Each structure stands twice: as structure tokens, then as C-alpha cells.
């Protein structure tokens, strides 16, 4: 998955944007998801499918996170969270992707109901799509905005940049993998999105530094610039970083890790 729209801002504007995002996440919603519910049992499978669909359709990380947030909120409805409704779980996930894409993507990238239905083997009708979408929006009271880790991603990664392309691309890839794993795990739902994103970058930089075999010792794992832009210290992130490091064996480095030669390239 890629970023959503890239817009160039000066430093003061970026800090203002981040401050406003943090204000919005300061009073998080209290999710009422039953840990024994049918949705929670299926949630990981549904989130993986949402991520895969967004990748296939070329949608952004922001859309995938937004869709998952909507899905978690929609399934607070006791009516939907029933075994009899289980066959509709995929349809609900598709409607969440559609709503999130309308909110985050440019018009040229918006998927149609037909596009989404093709990925579900043509299981549903357009009329059913439309009726469910309206029903979901009504349940949500048309309040579909949200703050997710993806909202912070490009701003934090910009401050993480080392100037060495292979290091930066590897850090980026590991961050996205870590956030994707966190997205699948409902225990992270109540972690502030800004903290989750910061911890993922911290962990990714530590892993890349380790993979570099000592040739990246001049790269601070958590630099002053990153602490300044995120507002989080090493101590603030400690518990989340520790949880992420437990996921390290699940990270697949599809490209070769940074090598001594690339680390010294201009």
C-alpha cells in the first residue's frame, strides 16, 4: 500500500497538523467490542482481507486503517454481531473500504462497487451494497472521520530519513509491516495512533540498525528530531516497542537488508 495524497508543507504547518491530530485522539472512543463475539473471532481474517484488497486496488495505508476503524465501530452493533449475520461480514468489510476510499482517495483511484464485488467472486448485488452502505452510515450517524497511525506516517518517516535510499526504504517497509500486524491485533485498538506509529518507526530503525551489522552505528535509533516531531521519548514507547519486537520473527524482509557498501553510498 502507498501513501495517500502527498502535499508539501513547511515545518510549522506540519507541526500544526500533527498537534491537531493529537487533539482529536486525546479523547478516544471507548469501544464496546465483546472479546467473545463472532466479529472478534473473525476480525484478524477480515483485516488481512481489507489490507489485501487495498493493495490489489492500489489504495493507501490511510484507507486500510480507516476502513478497519469503521469496521470496528460498525460491529459494535449487536444486530450485526450475530452468527446469523456472519455471511455478511465480508460485505460489511467491503462497504467500509468503499466509505474509507471515498474519504481518502482521489477520484481516479476510487474503487467502484463492481470492483469490490469482483474481489468477492460477484457474491453480492449493487442494490445490497447501497442499502448496507446507507445502513452503516446511519448507524455511525455519518461520523466517519478518524485518526489512525497512517495519518502520522509520512510526517514521521520524513524525520526518520537518513539520506541513504536502501536504509530508508527498508525502514519504511518494516514500519508498514509492523503497523499491518498491529492492525490485525485488537489489543492495539486503544493505543493512541500517534504512539503506535512512533513505536513502529522506533522498532523498525532498531531492527534495520541491527541488520546492518554495526555499519549503521551513526544512526540514532530514536533521534532528537524524531522525539521532537512525535512528542514521545524512548520511555513513552517502551511497552509498545517491546510488543513489536516480539513480532520480529513474523517480519519478512523481501529485499536484502542494507549492506556495508550501500550504507556508505551517497
Amino acid at each position: 500500500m502507498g501513501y495517500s495524497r502527498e502535499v508539501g508543507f513547511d515545518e510549522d504547518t506540519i507541526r500544526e497538523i500533527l498537534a491537531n491530530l493529537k487533539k482529536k485522539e486525546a479523547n478516544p472512543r471507548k469501544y464496546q467490542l465483546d472479546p467473545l463475539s463472532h466479529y472478534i473471532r473473525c476480525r484478524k481474517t477480515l483485516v488481512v482481507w481489507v489490507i489485501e484488497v487495498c493493495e490489489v486496488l492500489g489504495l493507501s495505508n490511510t484507507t486500510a486503517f480507516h476502513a478497519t476503524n469503521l469496521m470496528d465501530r460498525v460491529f459494535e452493533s449487536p444486530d450485526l454481531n450475530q452468527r446469523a449475520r456472519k455471511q455478511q461480514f465480508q460485505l460489511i468489510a467491503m462497504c467500509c473500504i468503499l466509505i474509507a476510499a471515498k474519504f481518502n482517495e482521489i477520484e481516479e483511484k476510487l474503487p467502484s462497487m463492481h470492483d469490490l464485488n469482483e474481489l468477492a467472486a460477484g457474491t453480492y448485488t449493487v442494490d445490497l451494497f447501497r442499502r448496507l452502505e446507507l445502513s452503516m452510515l446511519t448507524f455511525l450517524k455519518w461520523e466517519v472521520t478518524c485518526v489512525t497511525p497512517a495519518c502520522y506516517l509520512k510526517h514521521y518517516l520524513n524525520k526518520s530519513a537518513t539520506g541513504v535510499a536502501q536504509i530508508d526504504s527498508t525502514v519504511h517497509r518494516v514500519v508498514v509491516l509492523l503497523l499491518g500486524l498491529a492492525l490485525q491485533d485488537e489489543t492495539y485498538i486503544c493505543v493512541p495512533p500517534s504512539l503506535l506509529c512512533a513505536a513502529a518507526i522506533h522498532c523498525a530503525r532498531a531492527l534495520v540498525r541491527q541488520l546492518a551489522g554495526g555499519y549503521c552505528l551513526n544512526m540514532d535509533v530514536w533521534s532528537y528530531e524524531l522525539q521532537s516531531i512525535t512528542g514521545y521519548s524512548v520511555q513513552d514507547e517502551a511497552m509498545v516497542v517491546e510488543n513489536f519486537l516480539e513480532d520480529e520473527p513474523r517480519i519478512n524482509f523481501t529485499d536484502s537488508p542494507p549492506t556495508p557498501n550501500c550504507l556508505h553510498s551517497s
Side-chain angles (χ1 to χ4, degrees):
M1 293 177 289
Y3 293 134
S4 46
R5 307 163 214 174
E6 288 285 353
V7 181
F9 294 117
D10 59 42
E11 182 77 10
D12 289 340
T13 303
I14 290 171
R15 289 184 179 275
E16 185 178 347
I17 290 170
L18 294 176
N20 287 333
L21 287 171
K22 279 197 172 184
K23 283 181 183 177
K24 291 178 182 177
E25 71 174 41
N27 297 303
R29 298 182 70 261
K30 293 182 179 179
Y31 286 92
Q32 305 295 325
L33 292 170
D34 180 354
L36 300 178
S37 68
H38 299 298
Y39 169 63
I40 289 297
R41 294 173 188 172
C42 299
R43 185 182 182 279
K44 181 176 180 179
T45 300
L46 283 170
V47 173
V48 169
W49 190 79
V50 167
I51 293 171
E52 290 175 348
V53 168
C54 287
E55 288 178 345
V56 168
L57 296 176
L59 304 178
S60 65
N61 292 303
T62 305
T63 295
F65 273 86
H66 195 159
T68 302
N69 176 280
L70 292 174
M71 196 162 60
D72 288 337
R73 291 168 57 194
V74 165
F75 276 106
E76 289 181 313
S77 165
D79 183 47
L80 289 174
N81 213 338
Q82 300 291 329
R83 185 181 299 275
R85 299 271 183 165
K86 196 171 179 180
Q87 68 273 18
Q88 294 186 13
F89 280 15
Q90 186 183 45
L91 176 60
I92 292 168
M94 286 194 291
C95 283
C96 289
I97 294 171
L98 186 62
I99 294 169
K102 287 178 180 179
F103 196 85
N104 295 292
E105 306 292 344
I106 59 175
E107 186 175 354
E108 290 76 10
K109 294 187 70 175
L110 282 179
S112 66
M113 293 178 181
H114 176 73
D115 294 332
L116 289 164
N117 202 25
E118 276 194 338
L119 296 174
T123 306
Y124 311 103
T125 65
V126 171
D127 180 61
L128 185 58
F129 253 108
R130 287 174 176 159
R131 285 190 288 113
L132 183 60
E133 182 185 18
L134 180 59
S135 176
M136 287 168 51
L137 289 169
T138 302
F139 174 77
L140 295 169
K141 299 178 181 178
W142 294 81
E143 296 176 0
V144 297
T145 60
C146 66
V147 178
T148 72
C151 297
Y152 298 91
L153 190 55
K154 65 174 177 282
H155 302 301
Y156 288 2
L157 281 174
N158 284 341
K159 286 297 181 183
S160 173
T162 65
V164 180
Q166 192 171 355
I167 291 177
D168 293 338
S169 64
T170 304
V171 168
H172 178 188
R173 188 166 63 254
V174 176
V175 170
V176 171
L177 287 169
L178 287 170
L179 290 177
L181 291 172
L183 192 62
Q184 299 167 40
D185 187 343
E186 70 275 6
T187 62
Y188 286 104
I189 287 176
C190 294
V191 176
S194 57
L195 175 58
L196 198 59
C197 186
I201 291 176
H202 185 156
C203 187
R205 286 168 64 89
L207 291 172
V208 170
R209 190 171 187 260
Q210 181 181 3
L211 280 170
Y215 288 90
C216 204
L217 294 179
N218 61 332
M219 182 181 83
D220 291 335
V221 172
W222 196 242
S223 65
Y224 169 80
E225 289 79 8
L226 280 166
Q227 181 167 324
S228 175
I229 198 72
T230 65
Y232 292 113
S233 67
V234 172
Q235 292 73 24
D236 294 331
E237 301 168 348
M239 186 174 294
V240 183
V241 170
E242 183 179 345
N243 290 338
F244 276 146
L245 287 173
E246 292 176 1
D247 282 324
E248 181 185 352
R250 300 166 63 189
I251 298 174
N252 176 28
F253 292 94
T254 54
D255 296 333
S256 59
T259 60
N261 287 337
C262 89
L263 291 174
H264 296 278
S265 62
S266 56

